Amino acid sequence: MTTTTASPNLMANAIRALAMDAVQAANSGHPGAPMGMAEIGVALWKRHLKHNPANPHWADRDRFVLSNGHGSMLIYALLHLSGYELPIEELKAFRQLHSKTPGHPEVGITPGVETTTGPLGQGITNAVGLALAEKLLARDFNREGHAIVNHHTYVFLGDGCLMEGISHEAAALAASWKLNKLIAIYDDNGISIDGQVAPWFGDDTAKRFQAYGWNVIGPVDGHDVDAVDAAIAQAKQSADKPTLVIAKTHIGKGSPNRANTAKAHGEPLGADEIKLTREALGWAYEPFVIPPEVYSAWDARSAGDRAESEWDVRFDAYAEAHPELAAEFQRRMAGVLPTDFAQVAVDAVVKAHADAATVASRKASQLALEAFTAKLPELLGGSADLTGSNLTNTSSTPSLRFEADGSPNNGRHINYGVREFGMAAIMNGVALHGGFIPYGGTFLTFSDYSRNAIRMAALMKQRVIHVMTHDSIGLGEDGPTHQSIEHVASLRLIPGLDVWRPADTTETVVAWTMALGNAQRPSLLALSRQNLPYAPKSNVDEIAKGAYVLAEPTDVGFKKNKAKAVIIATGSEVQLALRAQEQLALDGIPVRVVSMPSTNVFDRQDKAYKKDVLPKGLPRVAVEMGVTDFWWKYGVDAVVGIDSFGESAPAGVLFKHFGFTPENVAATVKAVLKKK
């Protein structure tokens, strides 16, 4: 019996057929990129990519990122044809509710998808994070004769990714970090939604990447499988540079009337054009029908099983030679904290509580990090050129540097440079790879630069920790450009993100403990520049619930806990609430003070606890140096806040100017009670 082997051309045409059929069935989507990059897919996925469809989470697999995520049918076709758990029914349900083939690739939804892409430029930046994690894990765990971490990161990207500014941030860092196992393949088709890109994208891409310090190959014919194959093979030989392969392609290749046009980018070809395309390609099969010989040619299950089995044998030998390292590798890749983490956290909280130090919460954060980085080797820190202000460095985290040959030192603190967006998206990639818990710092007002990557971390449920300092008008003389007003409130609105604004050392340590312990949720710590006095408390455990009763009327001389009002405060304003409580007590007005370091966490508590902290019927006044609109959800009667931009002046002057004084808080409570 003769076995027919499908040609690379037939394998590529299977991708084109699936892409145009799925987009047509959904009546929406982007067929152009998958049809134009089909041969590139054949070259990489058939001849180079190390993966196992039966185990998409194999630790030493190559990572593949489709940065131009609108071309999602390319990766869905590749996953389906290669043998992943993505049956043809899922491709028929492209872009439909609850399918495994959403409009853009989503990690956790589709087996084999490494990161959620769609916002252009972030995929290549995630890939930089993935490649960095690989390099640093190899440093931490590989030993002579035992290379258990040894894989590549491949990324497809298009013109749109290169136009986005974040690609500059990512590419520059990739070169500085000598990420030689990062290979990007640029789909150079010259077309975007608005048409030919030449009038608005005139970069000399090759020279641009050479200037960064990349290895650049091409242009090559992106429709010649052998040429792309050879380029990838050459890229894999790079010892100290990431590689960009420039592949010239025709968007929508195979479509007689849509190829090389913007029409191919983001809309179905239409029934008539699909018929003509089938004829032009010689594809004589019905929609969603793939001949057996094509499935056989694409099937990667046997090769994947062999590759993983060979690695298993090598890992067993490694475990025998280095049992403690092997166990530590498995722990870190599983994202499990050390068994003594709970005790480490308790000790840190107890120490902060006992010290009762008056320090800025940014300094309290550094004190917490001193404890945690000493015990958690997976903590990988950094700052966007503000290390001395964010205080993200510790004695356990020397600065990361790379030798001329590309090898890293033992550093665990990254100088990202002034690249807030790049830092945030790279941290997402590091978290996605596994083996590290990334954290990075900048000023809170610059979270606007990072925001979409923060949102993506929440969407992907990744444990990424943002350390945002200088959280209010307390920044002082730097003025309104640097003073956060709307930032905390707007960040709290991102689903799945926990925002913490701690009031003192103990709350800061608890915030870090919660952030580290939550493996499926990013966290953001909004921290002060100015010193904050320690707030005495007896119910430390309740801080972890996001809000708690910090002070009752009995704490300021009343015999009974019969409060007439509740003051809710966060961060540096908790001290104002406590002092206002004392002033009100002198006037015979008992109030309760509630510290609410995380509204997100508090909102997840049960009704009984929320009612206990904020009893019904008691007037409520919120105090926070930010926009007031956010607080009405808590049924407050008044907000001491700020709904304008700040000013340039010393912090103390600004506090008085904007009404952040104990006297004004007390007067606001009185005014509310008078109305009642």
Side-chain angles (χ1 to χ4, degrees):
M1 182 178 180
T2 302
T3 302
T4 303
T5 301
S7 67
N9 181 62
L10 193 61
M11 295 170 70
N13 285 342
I15 294 174
R16 294 190 172 96
L18 288 173
M20 64 183 181
D21 289 343
V23 172
Q24 186 67 25
N27 198 30
S28 72
H30 301 75
M35 295 176 73
M37 299 186 75
E39 284 84 6
I40 299 173
V42 173
L44 175 61
W45 279 65
K46 186 60 183 175
R47 302 187 182 181
H48 292 278
L49 193 71
K50 180 177 70 172
H51 64 123
N52 184 5
N55 183 11
H57 302 292
W58 167 34
D60 201 41
R61 68 193 182 279
D62 288 339
R63 270 60 169 183
F64 172 74
V65 175
L66 183 68
S67 189
N68 45 343
H70 54 270
S72 56
M73 267 311 303
L74 174 60
I75 192 170
Y76 297 152
L78 289 165
L79 292 168
H80 168 73
L81 292 167
S82 297
Y84 284 77
E85 286 295 324
L86 194 68
I88 197 68
E89 288 74 23
E90 293 290 349
L91 275 63
K92 292 178 181 179
F94 178 53
R95 290 186 160 225
Q96 304 309 300
L97 186 64
H98 302 316
S99 77
K100 292 183 179 180
T101 50
H104 291 80
E106 294 185 38
V107 67
I109 300 297
T110 314
V113 168
E114 301 283 2
T115 181
T116 300
T117 55
L120 295 177
Q122 287 196 59
I124 175 62
T125 313
N126 293 164
V128 171
L130 289 164
L132 177 64
E134 189 275 342
K135 190 161 201 167
L136 298 185
L137 276 176
R139 173 201 68 184
D140 290 352
F141 290 101
N142 287 354
R143 295 295 182 267
E144 185 175 354
H146 299 281
I148 62 162
V149 181
N150 184 18
H151 54 266
H152 285 80
T153 300
Y154 297 98
V155 55
F156 288 175
L157 69 160
D159 294 303
C161 290
L162 294 180
M163 284 186 250
E164 287 286 358
I166 192 174
S167 70
H168 295 262
E169 300 181 26
L173 283 169
S176 296
W177 295 338
K178 305 181 187 299
L179 300 180
N180 60 301
K181 290 184 180 178
L182 172 63
I183 299 174
I185 304 177
Y186 166 36
D187 176 32
D188 184 9
N189 61 49
I191 297 290
S192 69
I193 293 174
D194 283 355
Q196 291 281 346
V197 301
W200 57 84
F201 184 49
D203 299 16
D204 187 325
T205 300
K207 289 182 179 178
R208 170 186 158 187
F209 275 77
Q210 287 167 352
Y212 291 138
W214 283 55
N215 176 38
V216 177
I217 300 173
V220 301
D221 181 355
H223 300 300
D224 183 334
V225 173
D226 291 336
V228 178
D229 172 21
I232 296 171
Q234 181 183 342
K236 290 165 74 173
Q237 300 306 308
S238 177
D240 61 353
K241 295 180 180 180
T243 298
L244 179 73
V245 176
I246 301 175
K248 287 285 188 180
T249 66
H250 300 282
I251 191 171
K253 180 175 172 58
S255 172
N257 299 302
R258 294 290 184 92
N260 301 314
T261 71
K263 280 284 188 182
H265 173 85
E267 61 184 63
L269 298 182
D272 292 342
E273 186 65 14
I274 287 177
K275 182 176 183 297
L276 293 174
T277 303
R278 275 183 152 76
E279 293 171 356
L281 296 175
W283 187 262
Y285 306 99
E286 295 297 311
F288 297 106
V289 173
I290 304 296
E293 63 269 25
V294 173
Y295 273 127
S296 178
W298 268 112
D299 193 346
R301 288 173 292 187
S302 295
D305 181 67
R306 286 196 301 273
E308 184 172 357
S309 295
E310 290 169 2
W311 182 83
D312 286 341
V313 171
R314 289 188 284 115
F315 187 82
D316 288 344
Y318 174 76
E320 185 173 349
H322 305 282
E324 292 183 0
L325 277 175
E328 179 72 352
F329 176 79
Q330 291 175 318
R331 178 191 71 78
R332 283 175 55 173
M333 289 304 292
V336 177
L337 295 175
T339 54
D340 63 346
F341 173 75
Q343 188 58 51
V344 171
V346 168
D347 292 344
V349 172
V350 169
K351 185 177 187 304
H353 189 53
D355 289 348
T358 295
V359 297
S361 54
R362 61 171 175 164
K363 181 61 178 178
S365 171
Q366 187 180 45
L367 295 174
L369 277 171
E370 280 289 350
F372 291 130
T373 55
K375 296 293 186 179
L376 300 178
E378 60 264 46
L379 276 175
L380 183 65
S383 172
D385 203 48
L386 289 167
T387 300
S389 293
N390 302 145
L391 304 182
T392 48
N393 56 328
T394 73
S395 59
S396 299
T397 57
S399 295
L400 179 64
R401 297 292 185 265
F402 295 84
E403 303 296 336
D405 64 358
S407 60
N409 67 356
N410 67 340
R412 282 201 284 148
H413 188 271
I414 301 171
N415 300 105
Y416 284 98
V418 188
R419 300 182 180 97
E420 297 88 357
F421 193 7
M423 175 180 69
I426 286 170
M427 288 197 295
N428 288 350
V430 169
L432 286 159
H433 184 282
F436 291 100
I437 300 174
Y439 65 94
T442 187
F443 287 176
L444 180 59
T445 191
F446 301 144
S447 63
D448 287 336
Y449 287 136
S450 310
R451 187 181 180 89
N452 199 263
I454 296 172
R455 180 181 188 271
M456 293 300 290
L459 179 62
M460 295 188 288
K461 300 179 180 179
Q462 295 301 305
R463 179 166 43 188
V464 177
I465 303 171
H466 293 272
V467 181
M468 301 286 185
T469 67
H470 298 59
D471 68 341
S472 71
I473 61 172
L475 178 56
E477 293 88 342
D478 277 347
T481 59
H482 285 52
Q483 292 169 6
S484 303
I485 301 297
E486 75 281 15
H487 299 80
V488 168
S490 67
L491 288 162
R492 287 169 177 151
L493 297 177
I494 297 177
L497 173 69
D498 281 351
V499 177
W500 289 86
R501 190 165 183 254
D504 60 14
T505 51
T506 303
E507 287 191 8
T508 304
V509 173
V510 172
W512 265 108
T513 301
M514 296 293 288
L516 291 168
N518 202 327
Q520 303 223 327
R521 188 179 291 268
S523 299
L524 185 147
L525 280 62
L527 306 170
S528 75
R529 177 200 192 193
Q530 71 273 24
N531 287 344
L532 306 180
Y534 181 79
K537 54 184 69 67
S538 59
N539 46 355
V540 172
D541 291 345
E542 291 184 350
I543 298 173
K545 296 182 179 181
Y548 64 103
V549 178
L550 175 61
E552 292 280 32
T554 51
D555 296 320
V556 286
F558 291 95
K559 293 182 178 180
K560 296 182 179 179
N561 277 346
K562 291 187 176 181
K564 291 185 177 180
V566 177
I567 304 175
I568 309 167
T570 77
S572 53
E573 290 74 82
V574 168
Q575 60 183 301
L576 297 181
L578 291 171
R579 289 162 64 191
Q581 182 194 40
E582 293 173 354
Q583 290 191 11
L584 290 164
L586 295 176
D587 294 329
I589 303 173
V591 299
R592 166 184 285 188
V593 174
V594 169
S595 178
M596 192 177 285
S598 179
T599 63
N600 307 100
V601 174
F602 179 66
D603 288 349
R604 294 199 297 272
Q605 302 307 312
D606 59 45
K607 291 181 179 179
Y609 182 76
K610 287 190 278 191
K611 183 178 178 181
D612 186 54
V613 173
L614 300 175
K616 289 185 177 180
L618 281 184
R620 303 170 186 176
V621 173
V623 187
E624 185 171 65
M625 291 187 199
V627 291
T628 59
D629 278 356
F630 172 83
W631 286 100
W632 304 111
K633 64 182 280 189
Y634 293 106
V636 297
D637 297 275
V639 183
V640 178
I642 176 171
D643 287 316
S644 63
F645 294 113
E647 298 281 353
S648 294
V653 174
L654 293 178
F655 296 155
K656 292 180 181 178
H657 175 73
F658 287 106
F660 291 102
T661 64
E663 293 78 12
N664 187 46
V665 174
T668 303
V669 172
K670 289 179 180 179
V672 166
L673 290 174
K674 187 176 181 180
K675 290 181 180 179
K676 294 292 183 179

